[in-house]
Amino acid sequence: MVDYFVVAKAEVLSEKAHRILAKYAQYTNYDDKNTPEVIMDIEKSLALLASKIIMCKSEEDINKAVQNLVIYENIIDNITTLSSKGSVNV
């Protein structure tokens, strides 16, 4: 039996993942030559996660996806702080 609450949460998380992915695209599409490879790898991993989120079948899957999205969003939201300290050259 389908848990429609899980399906609804998965749809919302999928949209959130794509919004976060758009933040990464601002850095990786702007100038690929200067974008650190790790940022491009993270973007690829997030794109894969975004496509898998919609297939979540349980509340546990949803919780794991939420945790991952929080991490991905924290990384991209703090990328300017990292770059200003010389850790990332974006």
Side-chain angles (χ1 to χ4, degrees), residues 34-36 82-83 86-90:
N34 291 327
T35 303
L82 294 172
S83 65
S87 301
V88 179
N89 198 15
V90 179

Side-chain angles (χ1 to χ4, degrees), residues 4-70:
Y4 291 105
F5 190 62
V6 170
V7 171
K9 282 185 172 182
E11 289 176 3
V12 170
L13 283 178
S14 178
E15 290 177 19
K16 180 175 180 160
H18 284 93
R19 283 193 306 271
I20 296 169
L21 194 55
K23 291 180 184 181
Y24 277 91
Q26 289 177 343
Y27 289 100
T28 57
N29 290 335
Y30 183 72
D31 186 4
D32 285 340
K33 294 176 186 172
N34 291 327
T35 303
E37 196 170 312
V38 69
I39 299 299
M40 291 188 290
D41 290 343
I42 292 172
E43 181 186 26
K44 290 174 189 174
S45 296
L46 178 57
L48 183 61
L49 176 65
S51 65
K52 288 182 178 181
I53 286 175
I54 203 68
M55 302 303 288
C56 288
K57 301 287 184 199
S58 68
E59 193 69 32
E60 183 179 335
D61 293 341
I62 294 290
N63 291 337
K64 287 179 186 177
V66 168
Q67 290 174 343
N68 285 322
L69 289 178
V70 166

